[in-house]
Structures are given as C-alpha cells and as structure tokens.
Amino acid sequence: MRRAYNAGRYEQARRHARLLLGKQKEAELARSVIVRSYWNEHAYDALIQVGSEWEDNVSKSYVALAREHRMSSSSGKMLTPMKKSRLERLRGAQPGPQLRVKWNPDNIPSNFFQEGHRLWFRYPQGYVYWDMPVSFVLSSTHPSLLSLAAETLLYPWESATRAPFSSTRAMGEQVSLSFSAGTDSTAAALVMPDDTLLGYHRRSFDSMLDHRNAERLIGYLNDSGEREVLQIESNHELIRTHHEKPVGFSSDFACAVHLILLADHYNLGAIGFGMPIDNTYLWKGRKFRKFEETQYYTYWTKRFAQAGLDLLFPISSISEAGALMVVKASPWLEHLNSCMRGDGVKGCGRCWKCFHKNGPLGRPFDIKAHEIQTYLNKRPMPTATHALWALQTMGHQDELPDMAHLFEKDLSWWAKVYPPGFDLLPERWRDSIEATIRAALPVMPEPYALHDVNHFDE
Ligand SMILES: [Zn+2]
C-alpha cells in the first residue's frame, strides 16, 4: 500500500487500503492513504463521500479542505462547461503516436519515446509531443534530463516524478535561456552572454493568443545574427487541461522543458528564466521574502544541478521596471511588443500589458479602458509594486484613491538594481551578467525599500 501510494499509483494504493480498513491496528493508516490519494488526484467528491463517515483528525481535515476547495472552485475558478468541451475537442484533435505504451510511474524516463524527429511523452491521461531538430537522438539523452522534464510537466499532480533521479548528469558547458519574446525574457537575453542559446516554445495548435509579435522579434534576432533563437513546437500545454486548468504551462519551469530535453544535444550547462524581482524576492509581486531561503529556490536548484544544469535567474537583481529600462535602451525595442491583442506591430492600448509594459516605454494606452480599470480595482492588485510604480511614474496616482498612502514615498528605486540579487547567480555566469546590468542601471539606495514591501499588510 505504501509503495503504491509513494509511487503515485493511487487506485492500487486504495485497493490495498480498503482491505485493511477492518483491521484495528492498520485502519488509521489505511484511511489516511485513501483520503490523501483522493486529495492528490483532485477527486474531491469521492474524498468527501468516503471521508465524511470517518471520525479521525486526518480524514476530518481533508474532508474540510475538499469542501473548501470545491466551493472556491465552483465560485469561478472552474472551467465553464463550454470551455471544457472546447478543450476536449482540442485534445481529441491532437495527433497520436504509432506506438502505444502505458504510463509507468516507476521508471519515469521510460515514458519518453521517439518516432522520427518527434519525441513523445506518455503521461497518465495521454500523450504530448515535441518536434525536435532532425539530429536529436533520445537514446543519447541522460535519464536525469528526462526525469527533470517529466517533473516540470507533472509536478503538481504526480508525486512519482519527485523521486530521486537514478543518476546524476555531469554539468554541461553552454548557457541557454527559456525565451518567450516578452519584455522580461528579452531583458534576460540582453544581459546574458552573446552566445546564449535562446529556446522558444511554440504552441503547436491554434489558440486565442496572437503570436505575431513574438515571431517578429525572433525573425529579427535570427536574421540580424544578434542571437540564435531555436524554436521547438509542442502541445505539452494541454497536460494541465486534465486538471481543470486552461491551456498553459504545468509549472513555472515547464516553459523550458524543450531546453531540458535538448540539454545533451546542445551540451547545455545552464538554463535561464526571465524572472524579475516581482516573482523572486516578492511574493506575488507584493510582499518581500528572502528568495534564496524559499523551498522553491533550494529544491529546484538542486534538481536542476542533478541534471547537470545551473538554474539561472539572470534578472533576479532587477524588477519588471528595470527589465523595461534595459529593453528600452536596446535596438531590439522596435521589434518588441508584449501586447497579444494588437495588429502584430502595435499594442491594442486597452489591455493590462499595454498599461504596465507598454505605458512605461512611452507607448500610448487608455487608462480608462475596461480591462485596465478592472485590474487596478482588484484587491490585492495584481503585480502591485510594479503597477504602483507605473502609476506614479506616469502621473496616474488619482486612479487609486484608497491607496494614496502608498504613493507618499518616491518609488523610483523600483527601476534600479538590487545587488543582493547577484548572489543568486552561479559563479561561472555571474561576472558578465552583473557587469552588464550594473552598466545599464543605477543601484538602489540603502537601506533597501524593497525589504519593506508589504502593500496589503499580509
Ligand atoms: Zn494591449
């Protein structure tokens, strides 16, 4: 029972557990396996049904959690039936492999297989693929890379992917960046060495998002020879649609899964993520935390290292505002626009991105536009520190009368360099990245106002 549970084979674990329910000594453990396994599977109804008959504390607390979750889900977080059926159709229209295999939680790397240049991954509910460079060979890819890739894809749902890797890969040499062509990752590309390999994940199916802006910047970088941008097409953003979520990345690091899978092919020794201070030293962009002490940072740094990769946060010393200033000073600026609703060249001027990304770059937007007003009036406000800075910088403080006290201080420090952020950089990449950033932006005055950020007294 324990072995099945720990390996993520929940149905099997429950079968064993049910047989033990009548045995006094083992009943408590059996009940806990049943409720926890349902919880891990997000099977809240089943959990409530069996768990509400039990009186022990573990069952009671999981039943309460499940009830709470079901309530919050039904109040807006859950997908509407229409969206659900659209996603089902989308999944049904995906190509499938010739070979059929079973999901194997005991040997994670064995869930990957190759047919021509297409790499397949079997996950519990189906298959996803990547179209790899023609010379890619799965059999010369280290198993720890495959395990790490699977973990970034299934981390929230499959505890089996969190098991120790069977072996450790030696560190590679080449530095790379998970590149989305947005402002944060463009700033990251600008401060990283010129030979950084930029890896762009291309969604293989049509969606509501307009990717012409990304294509324009990528075309410019490749044609001008400024950087090499590798584009890999995949449908792995469908995995999380099995878990009541819209199309998107399963976890923060799933945006780099193509680079993880290609790490041996390109001898990669580092993967960069364009995460500014807003996502590192600030919790949800609004409360300071010591990022280097978070479990998130220590856990993933270790996992990447075991796969021979430095986990690199090239812009962890600057905020989204700092990233905008880096991009603004670059000749790449005219090829970049984060708005996904424009005509492929200009922004729409009416979305949240046009307010907080394009606005500070001096591009036009309408502060009274519906989406911008909706976000500004949410409490807690999304990307709060950055939005406050943007409002103050552009003279729109009047939009937030209830938050006037937050504008009493000058927020210009937000666009400056936070030197402790350099301590997160692995030694072999630090000097060049630090020098580029220090040359681009002034340093924040001490004591750092960043340390006091907690806009909503949380
Ligand atoms: Zn827009």
Side-chain angles (χ1 to χ4, degrees):
M1 174 177 75
R2 272 178 207 265
R3 206 166 344 124
Y5 178 83
N6 289 335
R9 294 191 303 267
Y10 299 130
E11 185 50 54
Q12 196 183 345
R14 282 193 295 269
R15 266 205 313 278
H16 290 298
R18 283 189 204 105
L19 300 174
L20 300 174
L21 283 174
K23 303 198 171 159
Q24 210 180 357
K25 274 190 188 159
E26 286 155 305
E28 192 177 329
L29 180 66
R31 285 194 300 265
S32 117
V33 163
I34 292 174
V35 291
R36 284 174 207 266
S37 65
Y38 278 134
W39 174 257
N40 292 342
E41 289 178 331
H42 302 231
Y44 306 118
D45 290 328
L47 194 168
I48 293 165
Q49 202 181 356
V50 297
S52 28
E53 290 174 18
W54 296 333
E55 288 297 306
D56 59 287
N57 287 335
V58 174
S59 303
K60 276 191 194 160
S61 62
Y62 273 90
V63 167
L65 278 172
R67 287 213 169 101
E68 214 173 276
H69 196 89
R70 220 174 41 168
M71 249 160 52
S72 67
S73 302
S74 56
S75 66
K77 276 192 204 153
M78 283 241 286
L79 297 174
T80 60
M82 209 170 80
K83 279 193 184 145
K84 264 191 187 168
S85 72
R86 197 171 53 80
L87 287 174
E88 267 165 37
R89 272 203 309 280
L90 184 58
R91 288 199 301 255
Q94 296 302 305
Q98 281 165 358
L99 183 72
R100 294 277 150 173
V101 298
K102 270 181 82 174
W103 158 247
N104 183 353
D106 298 322
N107 181 355
I108 297 290
S110 73
N111 295 294
F112 289 91
F113 57 100
Q114 187 171 3
E115 289 178 349
H117 70 297
R118 186 163 277 188
L119 176 66
W120 288 100
F121 174 54
R122 168 78 220 208
Y123 65 103
Q125 297 85 6
Y127 299 88
V128 286
Y129 70 87
W130 294 259
D131 283 337
M132 297 300 238
V134 275
S135 49
F136 171 79
V137 183
L138 173 63
S139 56
S140 28
T141 304
H142 197 278
S144 63
L145 293 170
L146 303 177
S147 297
L148 179 65
E151 186 177 19
T152 66
L153 294 167
L154 301 178
Y155 178 81
W157 313 290
E158 292 299 323
S159 56
T161 62
R162 287 170 238 159
F165 300 154
S166 57
S167 59
T168 299
R169 173 180 174 256
M171 277 281 172
E173 299 288 331
Q174 169 68 41
V175 62
S176 70
L177 170 69
S178 168
F179 183 65
S180 73
T183 32
D184 295 339
S185 77
T186 302
L190 281 161
V191 305
M192 289 175 77
D194 291 347
D195 67 348
T196 301
L197 177 69
L198 310 188
Y200 180 74
H201 156 79
R202 179 184 292 276
R203 197 179 276 184
S204 63
F205 49 89
D206 284 337
S207 62
M208 311 281 278
L209 297 183
D210 186 342
H211 290 282
R212 284 177 297 176
N213 286 325
E215 276 157 22
R216 216 156 46 92
L217 179 60
I218 291 168
Y220 163 75
L221 293 176
N222 276 334
D223 295 347
S224 64
E226 290 256 8
R227 292 291 186 284
E228 184 188 351
V229 190
L230 173 77
Q231 303 185 61
I232 300 292
E233 201 166 287
S234 170
N235 62 354
H236 73 77
E237 289 176 273
L238 289 172
I239 292 178
R240 68 176 208 165
T241 64
H242 292 280
H243 303 277
E244 294 285 337
K245 299 228 158 121
V247 170
F249 295 127
S250 304
S251 71
D252 285 350
F253 300 112
C255 62
V257 71
H258 54 312
L259 288 170
I260 296 171
L261 293 168
L262 282 165
D264 272 336
H265 189 79
Y266 290 108
N267 187 23
L268 300 185
I271 300 182
F273 293 84
M275 281 163 65
I277 287 174
D278 312 58
N279 310 111
T280 52
Y281 290 99
L282 291 187
W283 175 74
K284 299 195 173 190
R286 59 183 197 247
K287 186 182 176 189
F288 180 76
R289 60 178 177 177
K290 287 185 173 162
F291 183 58
E292 67 280 12
E293 291 173 11
T294 57
Q295 207 241 343
Y296 177 90
Y297 176 77
T298 52
Y299 177 78
W300 288 103
T301 301
K302 200 175 82 194
R303 291 298 258 186
F304 272 71
Q306 286 165 352
L309 294 165
D310 279 326
L311 177 56
L312 190 56
F313 296 107
I315 56 167
S316 60
S317 60
I318 60 177
S319 68
E320 206 177 308
L324 284 173
M325 296 307 119
V326 167
V327 169
K328 196 175 180 177
S330 141
W332 300 5
L333 175 66
E334 60 176 302
H335 307 280
L336 173 94
N337 201 312
S338 302
C339 172
M340 304 255 186
R341 303 197 196 132
D343 58 3
V345 180
K346 285 201 197 103
C348 71
R350 307 189 58 78
C351 73
W352 185 243
K353 286 208 171 179
C354 277
F355 159 66
H356 76 115
K357 301 265 196 199
N358 281 339
L361 290 173
R363 293 171 174 168
F365 68 96
D366 176 6
I367 191 76
K368 296 294 179 197
H370 179 71
E371 180 176 308
I372 298 173
Q373 284 294 323
T374 308
Y375 278 72
L376 286 176
N377 287 300
K378 269 191 195 163
R379 297 290 176 274
M381 188 168 55
T383 57
T385 312
H386 183 73
L388 291 167
W389 169 84
L391 289 167
Q392 189 181 65
T393 310
M394 300 189 285
H396 284 297
Q397 296 98 311
D398 299 353
E399 296 297 324
L400 302 182
D402 66 318
M403 293 172 81
H405 60 288
L406 295 175
F407 291 116
E408 281 163 17
K409 282 186 191 148
D410 173 19
L411 296 171
S412 58
W413 59 268
W414 178 244
K416 296 177 181 168
V417 179
Y418 176 62
F422 294 129
D423 296 338
L424 297 186
L425 298 172
E427 215 183 304
R428 56 181 169 158
W429 319 109
R430 175 171 175 157
D431 287 354
S432 105
I433 295 175
E434 178 171 349
T436 311
I437 292 179
R438 283 184 184 272
L441 296 170
V443 171
M444 277 182 202
E446 286 187 74
Y448 300 118
L450 177 69
H451 293 180
D452 299 325
V453 166
N454 184 5
H455 305 306
F456 300 94
D457 298 323
E458 289 169 284

